[in-house]
């Protein structure tokens, strides 16, 4: 009887300790450094926020019709039909499990992406450790100030970085011309560290950011100097990029609309 009571007391104490102890959070470390982005799930089911993961792993990447095309080398083509819709991610032609969370962030399978890259993923207390087989060389990702809330207003201070020439492209997910221009601008920014690239999703023609910046067609490319002053309108911005960097828009086609139309 005394033994049963003692065992019951121990079980109760253990249950209380489990309830009071801090739960292991889903965490990810990369080469023993904490991963700064969002992480959900555990073990092989763990998914991590794509954009900071790309930066940590040294990947090139651009969106295509709402999906993501990833590669180790720039200018890798993805088949557009595979990438229609958010949450679609392809790495060098191979699909990777992914999803879009309530904040609009794309979360991608850590285990699948590591396997395709040849990196090791090992469980550890509280999460997973991703060991890189070689250090990344990727310079960074463009700024997307309204990535979680497409169409929301974006102030100039969110687009302009002091001391740099600032290139801003306004786009629509479904606009084919945007997905010719955006990868080309990302390549230009990678080649010229003095350029700061921002990508703004207008969401639709009648959304606040389209009205705010008077966007009538996509892609709309604007250039601001280091003090935040525009170098001119749309056409003169393109001419400025051509004069200073030899960049030419890969297409003259634009998706057009009128604020208030759907």
């Amino acid at each position: 009887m005394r033994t049963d009571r003692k065992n019951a007391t121990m079980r109760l104490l253990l249950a209380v300790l489990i309830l009071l102890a801090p739960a292991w959070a889903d965490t990810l470390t990369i080469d023993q450094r904490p991963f700064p982005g969002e992480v959900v799930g555990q073990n092989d089911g763990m998914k991590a926020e794509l954009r900071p993961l790309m930066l940590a792993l040294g990947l090139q990447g651009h969106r295509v019709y709402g999906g993501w095309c990833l590669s180790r080398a720039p200018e890798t083509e993805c088949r557009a039909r595979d990438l229609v819709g958010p949450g679609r991610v392809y790495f060098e032609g191979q699909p990777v499990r992914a999803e879009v969370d309530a904040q609009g962030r794309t979360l991608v399978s850590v285990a699948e992406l590591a396997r395709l890259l040849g990196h090791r993923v090992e469980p550890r207390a509280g999460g997973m450790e991703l060991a890189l087989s070689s250090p990344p060389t990727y310079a960074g990702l463009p700024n997307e100030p309204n990535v979680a809330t497409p169409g929301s207003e974006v102030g100039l201070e969110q687009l302009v970085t002091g001391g740099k020439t600032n290139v801003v492209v306004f786009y629509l997910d479904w606009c084919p011309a945007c997905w010719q221009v955006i990868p080309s601008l990302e390549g230009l920014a990678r080649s010229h560290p003095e350029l700061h690239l921002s990508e703004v999703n207008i969401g639709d023609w009648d959304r606040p950011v389209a009205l705010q910046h008077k966007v009538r067609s996509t892609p709309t490319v604007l250039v601001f100097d280091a003090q935040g002053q525009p170098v001119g309108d749309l056409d003169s911005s393109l001419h400025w990029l051509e004069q200073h960097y030899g960049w030419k828009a890969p297409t003259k086609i634009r998706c057009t609309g009128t604020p208030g139309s759907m």
Side-chain angles (χ1 to χ4, degrees), residues 97-157:
R97 279 183 297 153
E99 64 185 46
V100 177
D101 68 8
Q103 284 71 48
R105 295 171 296 203
T106 298
L107 305 174
V108 67
S109 168
V110 175
E112 285 192 13
L113 196 53
R115 175 178 54 80
L116 291 170
L117 286 163
H119 300 322
R120 295 195 324 276
V121 181
E122 301 170 348
R124 65 172 188 81
M128 303 287 283
E129 160 70 11
L130 175 57
L132 304 185
S133 55
S134 58
T137 57
Y138 190 44
L141 294 166
N143 173 45
E144 286 189 286
N146 70 347
V147 64
T149 53
S152 61
E153 287 195 2
V154 175
L156 188 61
E157 70 282 356

Side-chain angles (χ1 to χ4, degrees), residues 196-225:
H196 176 261
L197 177 63
S198 293
E199 300 172 1
V200 180
N201 187 345
I202 69 167
D204 216 324
W205 305 112
D206 61 346
R207 301 297 293 278
V209 73
L211 302 173
Q212 177 190 13
H213 294 280
K214 298 179 175 61
V215 177
R216 298 293 189 271
S217 66
T218 56
T220 289
V221 180
L222 299 177
V223 180
F224 298 86
D225 62 23

Side-chain angles (χ1 to χ4, degrees), residues 49-129:
E49 188 178 350
L50 178 58
R51 289 178 61 78
L53 188 61
M54 286 168 58
L55 179 60
L57 299 181
L59 296 179
Q60 318 287 339
H62 59 269
R63 289 178 310 282
V64 182
Y65 296 109
W68 279 91
C69 177
L70 310 179
S71 67
R72 280 169 283 212
E75 308 303 330
T76 298
E77 294 295 329
C78 282
R79 296 183 303 176
R81 66 175 180 270
D82 291 330
L83 291 155
V84 174
R88 300 285 186 91
V89 176
Y90 272 69
F91 172 74
E92 297 181 349
Q94 298 296 315
V96 184
R97 279 183 297 153
E99 64 185 46
V100 177
D101 68 8
Q103 284 71 48
R105 295 171 296 203
T106 298
L107 305 174
V108 67
S109 168
V110 175
E112 285 192 13
L113 196 53
R115 175 178 54 80
L116 291 170
L117 286 163
H119 300 322
R120 295 195 324 276
V121 181
E122 301 170 348
R124 65 172 188 81
M128 303 287 283
E129 160 70 11

